[in-house]
């Protein structure tokens, strides 16, 4: 039996009372997912040093507690929070965002990112060196962590770089005997004991000579070749790809990560966003094949948006767009915390409606002026399908010449964005994910549920735009389609009609995806929304044989020792 009061005092003595939350109001921002899932926790602990995190882990293991590691809590499938109330041990959430240091090593060609470091901060740190991190858009916009991306093999939008991946990391695991171990795979000599290693890393007490440059990878070195294989019947990237499961990479919270070592990338000297529209999905299929097979320079990114999703994002993501554009992503954690507190208060007061924060934000957003450029708006009126393609350096002229010739004979058109138009187009696309949640919150009483599907289609799939059988299609009130078209990863969000059984509908959708040779999830990881495939289950069990970390993900057991 856990002595809960004793445990709370132990962690308070290490991290400080200010950073240990035990009351419901303060725990909720961490125990409820950004878009999906929630559950109860004994405590939320926010260590400020790597050594404090290690001591917290020791206390958790000594008291036989479940540990859920969490950074920015921006996951989309509930994989970084508790899910439900049917665990066999109390849960402690360890939030890592106070440990946000980033070290530049090897002349800036690599970095060490601590467990709470963000892509946004990394992008700023690398800019003076004319370098870029793995992801510069998408997850950067919502303040996501570096480690979170690696743990989930997040692919993002970047066509040349592929999923976030490394074989170099420093992490803790609980072995089969129930003992906590610190595993140093950073290839940096840091000392012998866990406390010494963590202290030396934190205080940067290591020399150039301590850094080992071996053959271990700090990024995916195969993806630019894989993406060009347009006739392959296998998807380009997906979470259960054994090629990308290694230690921290793909670990999905089954270990506690202190730091990762990653490659950086030379920043291009010039970038150009092309806005492409068409009413024929086959046109985008042709463009994709032409660019990937014939272009000398691969695109930087290429993100798709259907007109219905465009409209939903314009209406329901406007406030998110404006906040990021004006205040940056640094403000988002504060906003999310404030939002959750408002909702918690509204739940406790019968006079106030549920989801009050969403309703208030939506009300005020109606008074904001149109935030989208005229040329993009004109394309919305002309075309069903929108593609935002970014090229760099030599690829700019290559793409411009290609599009001029291509649209002489094919349905659609394009234009070269100004810097302002390009930034707004990209931000509009990436805030589209929040439209789904906002619409659901406001219309909770009118809908039968929601589904957010993250699907990787084969690279040779011609019919990439979904056409559902009538018996499935008529079960939806709304379908919102967006994604990363060059790698055939589509995010397909559905609003379900009242009276429809969501689980039976999900089964039908998955059967439809299976018939098309798809893999799922592609980059959001299984969380508590998808069943983990056998290869993932084995990987999780090897990492965490006692099922101490993040139990239950991928519909696996929540019980100790995987019972």
């Amino acid at each position: 039996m856990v002595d809960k009061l004793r445990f709370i005092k132990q962690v308070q003595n290490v991290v400080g009372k200010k950073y240990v939350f035990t009351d419901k109001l303060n725990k909720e921002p961490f125990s409820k997912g950004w878009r999906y899932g929630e559950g109860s926790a004994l405590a939320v602990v926010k260590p400020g040093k790597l050594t404090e995190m290690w001591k917290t882990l020791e206390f958790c293991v000594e008291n036989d507690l479940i540990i859920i590691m969490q950074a920015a809590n921006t996951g989309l499938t509930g994989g970084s929070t508790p899910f439900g109330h049917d665990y066999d041990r109390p849960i402690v959430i360890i939030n890592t965002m106070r440990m946000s240091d980033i070290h530049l090593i090897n002349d800036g060609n690599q970095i060490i990112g601590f467990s709470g470091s963000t892509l946004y901060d990394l992008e700023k740190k690398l800019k003076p060196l004319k370098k870029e991190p793995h992801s510069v858009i998408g997850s950067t916009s919502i303040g996501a962590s570096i480690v979170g991306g690696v743990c989930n093999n997040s692919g993002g939008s970047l066509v040349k770089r592929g999923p976030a991946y490394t074989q170099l990391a420093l992490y803790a695991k609980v072995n089969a005997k129930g003992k906590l171990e610190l595993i140093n795979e950073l290839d940096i000599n840091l000392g012998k004991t866990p406390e010494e290693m963590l202290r030396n890393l934190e205080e940067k007490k290591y020399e150039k000579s301590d850094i080992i440059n071996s053959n271990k990878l700090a990024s995916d070195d195969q993806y630019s070749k894989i993406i060009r294989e347009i006739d392959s019947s296998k998807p380009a990237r997906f979470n259960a790809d054994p090629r990308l499961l290694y230690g921290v990479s793909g670990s999905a919270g089954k270990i506690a990560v202190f730091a990762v070592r990653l490659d950086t990338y030379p920043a291009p000297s010039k970038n150009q966003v092309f806005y492409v529209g068409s009413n024929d999905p086959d046109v985008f299929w042709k463009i994709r094949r032409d660019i990937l097979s014939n272009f000398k320079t691969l695109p930087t990114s290429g993100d798709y948006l259907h007109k219905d999703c465009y409209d939903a994002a314009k209406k329901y993501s406007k406030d998110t767009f404006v906040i990021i554009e004006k205040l940056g992503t640094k403000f988002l954690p504060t906003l999310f915390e404030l939002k959750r507190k408002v909702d918690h208060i509204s739940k406790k007061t019968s006079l106030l409606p549920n989801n009050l924060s969403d309703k208030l934000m939506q009300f005020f957003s109606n008074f904001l002026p149109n935030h989208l450029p005229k040329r993009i708006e004109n394309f919305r009126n002309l075309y069903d399908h929108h593609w935002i393609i970014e090229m760099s350096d030599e690829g700019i002229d290559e793409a411009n010449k290609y599009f001029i010739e291509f649209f002489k004979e094919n349905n659609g058109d394009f234009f070269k964005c100004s810097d302002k138009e390009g930034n707004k187009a990209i931000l509009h696309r990436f805030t589209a994910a929040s439209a789904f949640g906002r619409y659901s919150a406001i219309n909770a009483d009118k809908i039968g549920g929601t589904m957010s599907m993250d699907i990787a289609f084969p690279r040779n799939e011609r019919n990439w735009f979904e056409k559902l059988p009538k018996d499935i299609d008529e079960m939806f009130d709304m379908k919102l389609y967006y994604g990363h078209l060059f790698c055939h990863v589509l995010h397909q969000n559905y609003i379900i009609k009242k009276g429809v059984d969501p689980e039976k509908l999900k089964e039908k959708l998955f059967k439809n995806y299976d018939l098309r040779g798809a893999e799922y999830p592609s980059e959001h990881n299984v969380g508590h929304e998808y069943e983990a495939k056998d290869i993932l289950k084995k990987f999780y069990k090897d990492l965490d044989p006692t099922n101490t970390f993040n139990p239950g993900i991928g519909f696996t057991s929540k019980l100790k020792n995987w019972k």
Side-chain angles (χ1 to χ4, degrees), residues 237-302:
R237 58 182 173 90
F238 53 97
N239 284 132
D241 187 348
R243 187 179 72 86
L244 298 171
L245 300 176
Y246 185 103
V248 167
S249 297
S251 59
K254 297 302 291 180
I255 50 180
V257 184
F258 289 91
V260 292
R261 178 173 164 184
L262 295 167
D263 290 332
T264 63
Y265 302 83
S269 56
K270 289 188 297 179
N271 291 293
Q272 176 63 57
V273 174
F274 293 85
Y275 202 95
V276 184
S278 179
N279 289 312
D280 182 358
D282 218 34
V283 164
F284 281 8
W285 177 78
K286 290 176 186 174
I287 291 172
R288 176 183 172 276
R289 289 178 67 85
D290 286 346
I291 289 177
L292 291 179
S293 59
N294 298 326
F295 273 35
K296 183 180 177 183
T297 304
L298 281 171
T300 300
S301 64

Side-chain angles (χ1 to χ4, degrees), residues 316 319-320 358 361-362 365 434-443:
Y316 295 108
D319 53 308
T320 305
D358 280 295
M361 291 170 76
Q362 188 59 38
S365 75
S434 65
F436 173 68
R438 173 65 57 79
Y439 179 89
S440 305
I442 291 174
N443 297 284

Side-chain angles (χ1 to χ4, degrees), residues 48-59:
K49 294 183 177 181
L50 301 181
T51 47
E52 291 177 3
M53 178 169 146
W54 173 258
K55 290 299 294 182
T56 302
L57 289 169
E58 283 189 319
F59 294 144

Side-chain angles (χ1 to χ4, degrees), residues 125-175:
K125 188 150 191 161
L126 290 174
K127 200 166 186 178
L129 302 178
K130 296 184 178 179
K131 293 273 189 179
E132 289 181 345
H134 172 269
S135 297
V136 292
I137 50 179
S139 295
T140 316
S141 301
I142 58 172
S145 72
I146 295 169
V147 168
V150 175
C151 290
N152 291 316
N153 281 147
S154 297
S157 306
L158 299 178
V159 179
K160 303 172 188 177
R161 299 176 192 173
Y165 179 76
T166 188
Q167 296 173 346
L168 300 160
L170 181 66
Y171 61 92
K173 64 178 290 185
V174 175
N175 65 25

